[in-house]
């Protein structure tokens, strides 16, 4: 849509890890990349050893691994050795409770140090870590604890009383609840258990194929699924963070993802620690001033965030960004939703840096398609497949699929199985897992196209794509075009059934401050859309300052559609309330 590519000049002081994409891609193999990991002293592979113990045994021993800011801005620091000892203690706590290999341990917590200790201590004990969003109400908590056969939950006394206490009887598998604070009846004190435990622990034999993580999908398209991941995934976490986030050991890294979804673990805990960086953790909710303050005061160098957050920063204006000293920042990346070209370019203007979009999903465990530090960015494109990842565009009839090689053809984005962080199952749903693979491809459920130079462009989720008067309309393209209008902060686009054209395109639009939802503006936006998009432009526009988002920051188009059509809303457990 006329966006100029952003050319990369290598003026930065830091040499990109992926300096020559075509060459690295040609030479890469997961087998040789494995040498970047340490492995357990007696053989085998355990995420906790790669993330923490190996650094604690070397020159990074006293380096700050985690700097956790509470809501008041007060920070608690843990070095790699602190983290080694704390996670040893937690592994011993689990052992004393009779929790062993493969047993599930969940957190229902915000961004507090104990979450990180629980996550790593759990996998250290060869148990399985399952994070839950702290904002979940009782039903979503029950559903996931039950689906995951969770035996231990770590939470706060407040969350326990509000969300869990009333469910206890219906969750016979949930044997132990550890709380951070004074324990209500039926729970134990996390701190007291930790104080009793030894800080020495030897990681039991762990195979790369042992289950390590259980992640629930975001529930954007329906009921969340429990994706199973193994210890071997750490290789993909490590390599992709080097390439897609350009992480170097000296970086100060901030990942704003909620710890309740997969990004919060893969890139909010594991990958950065395997690189030995200092990680900033900030407990507060989104606030433009507060976020710029974190970037400035913590001298963040690499920042991994999401389109919704960037759109909200954009809404607050480039001038605000310029009031802060963001000179330490050298790399910005985004994931979770299509990143509008407008936002990529805004990054250049407001932060002095373009935003690097990348694509992956709970099932892939790690970034699969990405923009890179040394490669030109085509605003609106998700970028190029990671070295070691083979992607394709396929078409089929449900019985079989074939790859389509002609450029620009729209089809389902598919991946060749074999990367180390590929999910190994949907828990208790083997049939669904089996259905995700066809003719040697893993089918992602997303539609995309690939341009002649191999860049991938997101069209939409297979479920969201609109068929209107013979055209296939990807909501993202329409949303991005609308965002080019100065009044539009964000939008969500759906297809509304229509007897004549199949579906008409309808856009729900959030306005920027200073703009009123008038009929004139509506008419103007429809005309604006028509000029940009022609036949696929929205015919209807509704103003909505509170588009429904998932907790992981995605616009829930299926909910917009259900509400529009007066249909049941379906599973809304991951709906973010109050924004
Ligand atoms: P569910 O599977 O329960 O419907 P979900 O697919 O939103 O939820 P996640 O695994 O958290 O759950 O999200 C992955 C999806 O997010 C991708 O399949 C894709 O649709 C979308 N996504 C992630 N990153 C990008 C991106 N950079 N551009 C476009 N879409 C993206
Ligand atoms: Mg999905």
């Amino acid at each position: 849509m006329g966006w100029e590519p952003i050319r990369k000049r290598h003026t930065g002081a830091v040499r990109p890890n992926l300096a020559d994409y075509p060459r690295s891609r040609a030479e890469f193999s997961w087998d040789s990349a494995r040498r970047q990991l340490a492995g357990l002293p007696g053989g085998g592979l355990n995420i906790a050893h790669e993330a923490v113990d190996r650094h604690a045994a070397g020159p990074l021993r006293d380096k700050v691994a985690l700097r956790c800011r509470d809501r008041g801005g007060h920070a608690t620091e843990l070095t790699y050795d602190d983290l080694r000892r704390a996670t040893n203690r937690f592994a011993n706590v689990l052992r004393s409770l009779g929790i062993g290999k493969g047993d599930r341990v969940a957190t229902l917590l915000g961004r507090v140090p104990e979450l990180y200790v629980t996550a790593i201590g759990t996998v250290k004990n060869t148990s399985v870590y399952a994070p839950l969003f702290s904002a979940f109400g009782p039903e979503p908590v029950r559903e996931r604890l039950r689906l995951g056969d969770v035996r231990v939950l770590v939470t706060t006394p407040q969350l326990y009383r509000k969300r869990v206490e009333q469910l206890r009887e219906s969750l016979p598998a949930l044997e132990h609840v550890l709380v951070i604070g004074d324990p209500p009846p039926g729970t134990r004190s996390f701190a007291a258990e930790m104080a009793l435990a030894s800080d020495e622990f030897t990681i039991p034999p762990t195979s790369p194929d042992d289950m390590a993580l259980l992640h629930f999908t975001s529930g954007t398209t329906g009921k969340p699924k429990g994706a199973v991941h193994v210890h071997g995934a750490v290789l993909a976490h490590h390599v992709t963070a080097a390439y897609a986030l350009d992480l170097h050991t000296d970086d100060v890294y901030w990942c704003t993802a909620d710890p309740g979804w997969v990004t919060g673990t893969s890139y909010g805990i594991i990958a950065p620690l395997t690189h030995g960086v200092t990680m900033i953790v900030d407990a507060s909710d989104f606030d433009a001033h507060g976020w710029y303050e974190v970037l400035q005061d913590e001298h963040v160098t690499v920042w991994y965030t999401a389109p919704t957050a960037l759109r909200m920063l954009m809404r607050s204006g480039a001038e605000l960004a310029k009031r802060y000293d963001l000179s330490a920042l050298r790399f910005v990346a985004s994931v979770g939703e299509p990143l509008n070209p407008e936002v990529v370019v805004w990054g250049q203007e407001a932060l002095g840096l373009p935003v690097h979009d990348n694509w992956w999903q709970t099932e892939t465990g790690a970034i699969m398609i990405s923009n890179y530090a040394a490669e030109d960015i085509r605003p609106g494109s998700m970028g190029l497949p990671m070295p070691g990842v083979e992607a394709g565009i396929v078409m089929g009839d449900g019985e079989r699929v074939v790859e389509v090689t002609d450029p620009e053809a729209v089809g389902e984005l598919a991946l060749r199985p074999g990367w180390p962080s590929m999910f190994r199952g949907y828990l208790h749903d083997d049939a669904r897992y089996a259905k995700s693979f066809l003719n040697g491809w893993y089918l992602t459920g997303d539609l995309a196209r690939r341009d002649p130079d191999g860049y991938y462009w997101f069209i939409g989720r297979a479920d969201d794509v609109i068929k209107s008067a013979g055209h296939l309309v990807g909501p993202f393209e329409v949303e991005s075009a609308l965002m080019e209008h100065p009044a539009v902060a964000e939008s969500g686009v759906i297809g509304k059934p229509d007897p004549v054209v199949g579906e008409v395109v309808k856009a729900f639009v959030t306005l920027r401050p200073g703009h009123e939802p008038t009929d004139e503006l509506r008419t103007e936006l429809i005309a604006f859309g028509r000029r940009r998009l022609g036949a696929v432009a929205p015919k209807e526009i509704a103003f909505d300052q509170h588009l429904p988002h998932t907790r992981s920051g995605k616009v829930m188009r299926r909910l917009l559609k259900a509400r529009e059509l007066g249909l049941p809303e379906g599973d809304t457990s991951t709906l973010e309330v109050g924004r």
Side-chain angles (χ1 to χ4, degrees):
M1 236 179 302
W3 294 91
E4 288 296 313
I6 295 175
R7 304 268 174 221
K8 293 293 183 58
R9 290 177 305 266
H10 308 294
T11 49
V14 178
R15 185 176 188 274
N17 288 320
L18 191 66
D20 183 345
Y21 174 80
R23 185 163 159 204
S24 295
R25 190 167 166 77
E27 291 174 356
F28 185 89
S29 86
W30 290 109
D31 275 342
S32 44
R34 212 153 270 135
R35 286 198 288 272
Q36 296 174 36
L37 300 181
L40 284 174
L45 185 67
N46 185 296
I47 291 174
H49 182 75
E50 301 303 322
V52 176
D53 290 13
R54 71 152 155 166
H55 298 313
L60 301 182
R61 179 195 151 95
D62 297 318
K63 178 176 177 177
V64 174
L66 281 183
R67 197 173 138 77
C68 300
R69 295 164 56 107
D70 65 18
R71 282 169 189 270
H74 172 77
T76 307
E77 292 186 342
L78 280 100
T79 65
Y80 277 93
D81 195 51
D82 293 337
L83 206 49
R84 176 186 70 87
R85 287 186 292 115
T87 54
N88 280 353
R89 282 186 200 277
F90 188 74
N92 281 319
V93 169
L94 290 179
R95 193 169 280 184
S96 73
L97 297 174
I99 303 300
K101 185 167 175 170
D103 290 334
R104 260 79 83 176
V105 177
T107 48
L108 184 67
L109 286 174
R111 295 178 182 88
V112 292
E114 290 84 351
L115 178 129
Y116 300 83
V117 171
T118 301
I120 298 162
T122 297
V123 296
K124 199 170 234 186
N125 189 46
T126 61
S127 306
V128 175
Y129 175 58
L132 304 179
F133 282 110
S134 59
F136 276 154
E139 265 318 305
V141 169
R142 187 216 311 262
E143 201 179 298
R144 287 162 182 79
L145 291 178
R146 194 151 50 190
L147 180 64
D149 313 304
V150 171
R151 292 185 66 191
V152 180
L153 175 69
V154 181
T155 185
T156 65
Q158 296 79 4
L159 289 171
Y160 178 75
R161 287 203 192 86
K162 272 200 276 186
R163 315 271 168 76
V164 189
E165 197 165 27
Q166 69 266 42
L167 313 174
R168 247 344 242 287
E169 293 207 336
S170 64
L171 292 168
L174 182 63
E175 290 160 57
H176 309 284
V177 176
L178 302 174
V179 297
I180 296 153
D182 287 338
T187 70
R188 296 161 186 264
S189 155
F190 183 92
E193 296 291 328
M194 289 286 277
L196 289 174
S198 156
D199 66 0
E200 288 306 320
F201 184 86
T202 304
I203 299 181
T206 318
S207 139
D209 293 321
D210 286 344
M211 183 173 173
L213 305 164
L214 174 65
H215 284 299
F216 295 97
T217 61
S218 290
T220 313
T221 51
K223 251 195 183 332
K225 307 163 281 264
V228 171
H229 287 282
V230 296
H231 281 271
V234 67
L235 178 61
H237 298 149
H238 182 80
V239 168
T240 55
Y243 288 166
L245 306 179
D246 198 37
L247 272 191
H248 291 64
T249 303
D250 290 339
D251 277 314
V252 176
Y253 169 76
W254 185 30
C255 172
T256 58
D258 192 290
W261 73 297
V262 68
T263 308
T265 302
S266 294
Y267 299 98
I269 305 180
I270 299 170
L273 294 177
T274 68
H275 282 277
V277 306
T278 293
M279 218 161 81
I280 304 300
V281 171
D282 186 62
S284 49
D285 297 325
F286 177 82
D287 164 71
H289 290 270
W291 276 30
Y292 285 130
E293 225 161 76
V294 173
L295 290 170
Q296 169 185 272
D297 296 354
E298 302 294 346
H299 310 285
V300 171
T301 58
V302 176
W303 183 32
Y304 195 21
T305 188
T308 323
L310 291 164
R311 287 193 290 259
M312 288 201 278
L313 287 179
M314 218 171 126
R315 235 199 274 186
S316 60
E319 306 73 44
L320 185 65
K322 298 212 164 102
R323 270 190 243 157
Y324 294 84
D325 174 7
L326 306 179
S327 55
L329 193 62
R330 66 171 187 85
F331 194 84
V332 183
S334 160
V335 72
E337 263 232 304
L339 184 68
N340 321 82
E342 186 86 12
V343 183
V344 178
V345 173
W346 171 85
Q348 285 276 75
E349 183 197 328
L351 312 169
L353 299 166
V355 183
H356 297 78
D357 186 20
N358 55 57
W359 176 95
W360 58 292
Q361 35 176 222
T362 309
E363 291 85 345
T364 69
I367 300 168
M368 297 283 109
I369 295 180
S370 180
N371 287 282
Y372 304 97
E375 296 299 317
D376 291 351
I377 296 180
R378 302 187 174 180
S381 162
M382 315 188 283
L384 300 156
M386 192 63 56
V389 169
E390 203 190 320
I393 302 290
V394 302
M395 278 182 192
D397 54 8
E399 298 286 307
R400 54 177 275 113
V401 291
V402 287
E403 187 175 11
V404 283
T405 44
D406 36 325
E408 309 296 354
V410 172
E412 185 163 357
L413 177 59
L415 302 163
R416 289 283 187 204
W419 70 95
S421 62
M422 190 181 88
F423 71 136
R424 303 301 160 95
Y426 286 126
L427 199 66
H428 305 315
D429 198 349
D430 293 342
R432 176 139 201 178
Y433 183 69
K435 254 179 61 187
S436 312
F437 298 88
L438 199 56
N439 302 124
W441 291 101
Y442 162 65
L443 305 175
T444 67
D446 286 344
L447 298 184
R449 66 184 169 84
R450 180 176 49 201
D451 72 20
D453 301 311
Y455 279 75
Y456 281 79
W457 300 76
F458 184 80
I459 301 293
R461 290 160 182 272
D463 299 355
D464 285 344
V465 163
I466 304 162
K467 292 175 198 77
S468 184
H471 300 279
L472 262 192
V473 186
F476 169 55
E477 188 184 5
V478 180
E479 290 159 10
S480 288
L482 287 173
M483 273 195 68
E484 290 174 35
H485 190 282
V488 177
E490 190 171 40
S491 72
V493 166
I494 62 161
K496 200 175 139 181
D498 179 275
V500 181
V501 293
E503 288 181 300
V504 286
V505 180
K506 173 157 186 173
F508 296 81
V509 167
T510 303
L511 296 177
R512 292 203 202 200
H515 296 272
E516 293 302 318
T518 59
D519 285 341
E520 289 76 50
L521 182 57
R522 193 194 319 272
T523 313
E524 186 182 321
L525 286 175
I526 288 178
F528 180 83
R530 196 168 306 132
R531 279 199 303 280
R532 298 281 152 141
L533 296 160
V536 304
K539 300 274 184 304
E540 287 183 33
I541 288 194
F543 295 112
D544 184 345
Q545 290 304 101
H546 302 281
L547 290 178
H549 289 88
T550 63
R551 290 287 309 166
S552 51
K554 302 159 195 284
V555 175
M556 283 172 106
R557 296 177 190 83
R558 72 169 158 95
L559 210 58
L560 287 171
K561 189 159 176 171
R563 289 175 182 171
E564 176 71 26
L565 304 181
L567 296 172
E569 296 199 344
D571 187 297
T572 53
S573 60
T574 57
L575 177 66
E576 181 164 56
V577 201
R579 211 176 60 201

